[in-house]
Amino acid sequence: MQDLNTEQNILNAAILVFQRKGMAGARMQEIADEAKINKAMLHYYFRNKQLLFEAVFMQAFSQLAPQLNLIFASNDTVFEKIRKFNSNYIDFILKNPYLPTFIIQELNNNPEFVKKFMVHGNKPDPNPFLLQIEKEITLGKIKKIKPKQLLLNLLSLSVFPFVAKTMLKLVMDVSDQEFLELMEERKTLISEQIINSIKV
Amino acid sequence: MQDLNTEQNILNAAILVFQRKGMAGARMQEIADEAKINKAMLHYYFRNKQLLFEAVFMQAFSQLAPQLNLIFASNDTVFEKIRKFNSNYIDFILKNPYLPTFIIQELNNNPEFVKKFMVHGNKPDPNPFLLQIEKEITLGKIKKIKPKQLLLNLLSLSVFPFVAKTMLKLVMDVSDQEFLELMEERKTLISEQIINSIKV
DNA sequence: GTCTATAGCCAGATAGAC
DNA sequence: GTCTATCTGGCTATAGAC
């Protein structure tokens, strides 16, 4: 796992630390320790903290967006997309549980900065999905609802538990194991609830 | 609005800055500027940054929890609680939009620290609500569902849009005005969707 | 490419006059 | 209680040997 590539090794360590502490709270020394290399190496490879952070953020963000667009832009029906979204996306987040929190946190602390990454193929584009919802409503295939509200519901139900995991575990008194089981169950639970709410 | 009380004046300024930048990113100078007082005053009143932060966090947290418990512990039916929760809680967050993000962010960055506040009447306690759901399921009043999943749905649908607001505005191309309208609509929209999903 | 040593800066904290 | 001036420590960043 080590030394395949010092640069990727640093990135992996930086992801962990930036995710735990955020940009401002992260320490270059802690990243170096995590990567088991010398602190000076960080500067050798990434010049400074800001650039290292941007590399980490870029990598995180560019994983998330295409994943979303793949589903939004496919040829499936709205029902199928909802099912696929929950199944695939929750799976994806389970494998990268830090991503949503990290992105939302840094986006809140530094909204301007993030817009830099919102270009080319990196921007999540829900428009195809929103237009499709309009269309299926007109065709009488699903109940009337503001497309953005439907999308909000979809995102809220699937992403929120991960963002608020620490709080939820505390408040609802849930173990890591139970949390995983609940998330596993949600893959289908949420889909059925949403579909049920718009089924004609 | 100023000088009523220097201590509260500082707290108000600190809330703003800590919310924008988080504990690590916040600067004592920025808080002093925001409060239009001298930096030394911060130390005079709150001794150090950590204690000032704890005072801010405590104030934020102790607003949120009772608000929740009031609804969870009332004598209403599950349906009524769901309606009240969405109406009251979204209203409350609209007036304090920084609260959920702030709490979730600092809780993620420093899980240990937060447990200090999770005592006395300050801990959100969803148990009465969870037990009530079990009971109404047994009585055949609502469909079978894991109580925790229902609570997760409720919290997700109402809180997530606020936590992810910056991201959502960017991705869904929504103005502040439109965001408010969507949230206003959600007060009833969400309730009906959730109730619909568990109605026998 | 990797390391040690250190420069330089910035932010939290305090001393002390008023 | 409020201010100015200043100390101190910690952290980013670089110089330079190997």
Side-chain angles (χ1 to χ4, degrees):
Chain A
M1 194 80 177
Q2 210 78 320
D3 279 350
L4 319 148
N5 178 327
T6 309
E7 193 167 319
Q8 189 58 47
N9 179 28
I10 292 175
L11 274 176
N12 290 338
I15 287 171
L16 284 177
V17 177
F18 279 132
Q19 171 239 337
R20 276 202 298 263
K21 306 288 179 66
M23 163 65 182
R27 294 292 158 250
M28 294 297 265
Q29 186 60 59
E30 196 180 345
I31 296 173
D33 293 347
E34 184 74 42
K36 296 197 181 69
I37 56 156
N38 191 280
K39 185 161 71 89
M41 290 281 87
L42 299 179
H43 290 92
Y44 179 79
Y45 279 94
F46 292 91
R47 193 177 180 89
N48 61 39
K49 187 182 177 182
Q50 179 65 30
L51 287 175
L52 174 56
F53 176 78
E54 294 189 13
V56 165
F57 192 90
M58 176 64 111
Q59 177 163 307
F61 202 83
S62 62
Q63 275 187 286
L64 208 79
Q67 194 76 16
L68 279 163
N69 288 338
L70 214 76
I71 297 169
F72 287 150
S74 80
N75 282 322
D76 299 314
T77 65
V78 167
F79 286 179
E80 286 163 352
K81 280 186 184 178
I82 291 173
R83 288 205 180 86
K84 269 196 191 161
F85 179 88
N86 283 311
S87 166
N88 296 357
Y89 208 61
I90 290 182
D91 255 352
F92 174 70
I93 302 182
L94 278 171
K95 281 177 202 127
N96 307 270
Y98 69 89
L99 268 181
T101 320
F102 176 62
I103 290 176
I104 286 175
Q105 166 161 331
E106 296 307 327
L107 213 145
N108 278 328
N109 291 344
N110 204 342
E112 290 316 308
F113 156 73
V114 180
K115 292 181 187 167
K116 282 200 272 183
F117 298 101
M118 288 284 200
V119 279
H120 349 106
N122 252 342
K123 187 180 183 307
D125 178 17
N127 267 331
F129 186 54
L130 295 175
L131 290 172
Q132 183 183 11
I133 295 170
E134 287 284 20
K135 198 177 150 199
E136 293 201 11
I137 291 174
T138 317
L139 292 175
K141 290 190 178 175
I142 58 178
K143 274 194 204 159
K144 196 163 165 50
I145 183 175
K146 278 201 190 133
K148 282 175 185 171
Q149 294 284 18
L150 183 55
L151 179 57
L152 268 180
N153 292 346
L154 192 57
L155 290 170
S156 301
L157 287 167
S158 54
V159 181
F160 180 75
F162 294 97
V163 175
K165 179 179 175 187
T166 319
M167 149 147 296
L168 292 171
K169 281 180 58 184
L170 239 85
V171 169
M172 298 182 14
D173 193 30
V174 168
S175 69
D176 271 309
Q177 177 58 31
E178 192 185 352
F179 185 80
L180 282 182
E181 287 166 13
L182 287 169
M183 291 311 109
E184 203 58 43
E185 186 185 8
R186 282 179 86 71
K187 286 189 208 166
T188 55
L189 189 71
I190 297 172
S191 299
E192 293 321 308
Q193 166 167 348
I194 297 181
I195 287 175
N196 206 53
S197 77
I198 55 171
K199 202 162 48 182
V200 285
Chain B
M1 192 80 179
Q2 210 77 319
D3 279 352
L4 320 145
N5 177 327
T6 309
E7 193 167 319
Q8 189 58 47
N9 180 28
I10 292 175
L11 274 177
N12 290 338
I15 287 171
L16 283 178
V17 177
F18 279 132
Q19 172 238 337
R20 275 201 299 263
K21 306 289 179 66
M23 163 65 180
R27 295 289 158 252
M28 295 296 266
Q29 185 60 59
E30 195 180 347
I31 296 173
D33 293 347
E34 185 74 43
K36 296 198 180 69
I37 56 156
N38 191 282
K39 185 161 70 89
M41 289 282 88
L42 300 179
H43 291 91
Y44 179 79
Y45 279 95
F46 292 91
R47 194 177 180 87
N48 60 39
K49 188 181 177 182
Q50 180 65 30
L51 287 174
L52 174 56
F53 176 77
E54 293 188 14
V56 165
F57 193 89
M58 175 66 110
Q59 178 162 308
F61 202 83
S62 62
Q63 274 188 287
L64 207 78
Q67 194 75 18
L68 279 163
N69 288 338
L70 214 77
I71 297 169
F72 288 149
S74 80
N75 283 322
D76 299 314
T77 64
V78 168
F79 286 179
E80 285 163 351
K81 281 187 183 176
I82 290 172
R83 287 207 181 85
K84 270 197 191 163
F85 179 88
N86 284 311
S87 166
N88 296 359
Y89 208 62
I90 290 182
D91 255 352
F92 173 69
I93 302 181
L94 278 171
K95 281 178 202 125
N96 306 271
Y98 68 90
L99 267 182
T101 319
F102 177 62
I103 289 175
I104 285 175
Q105 166 162 328
E106 296 307 327
L107 213 143
N108 278 327
N109 292 344
N110 204 342
E112 291 316 307
F113 156 73
V114 180
K115 292 181 187 168
K116 282 200 272 184
F117 299 101
M118 288 285 200
V119 279
H120 349 104
N122 252 340
K123 188 181 183 304
D125 178 18
N127 266 332
F129 186 54
L130 295 175
L131 290 171
Q132 182 182 12
I133 294 170
E134 287 284 19
K135 197 177 153 202
E136 293 203 9
I137 291 175
T138 316
L139 293 174
K141 289 191 179 174
I142 59 178
K143 275 194 203 158
K144 196 164 165 50
I145 184 174
K146 279 201 190 132
K148 284 177 184 170
Q149 293 286 18
L150 182 54
L151 179 57
L152 268 180
N153 292 346
L154 192 57
L155 290 171
S156 301
L157 287 167
S158 55
V159 180
F160 179 76
F162 294 97
V163 175
K165 180 179 175 187
T166 320
M167 150 147 297
L168 291 170
K169 281 181 57 186
L170 238 85
V171 169
M172 296 181 18
D173 194 30
V174 167
S175 69
D176 271 310
Q177 177 58 31
E178 192 184 353
F179 184 81
L180 282 181
E181 287 165 13
L182 287 169
M183 292 311 107
E184 203 57 44
E185 187 185 7
R186 282 180 86 71
K187 285 189 208 165
T188 55
L189 190 70
I190 297 172
S191 298
E192 293 321 308
Q193 166 167 347
I194 296 182
I195 287 175
N196 207 53
S197 75
I198 54 171
K199 201 163 48 185
V200 287

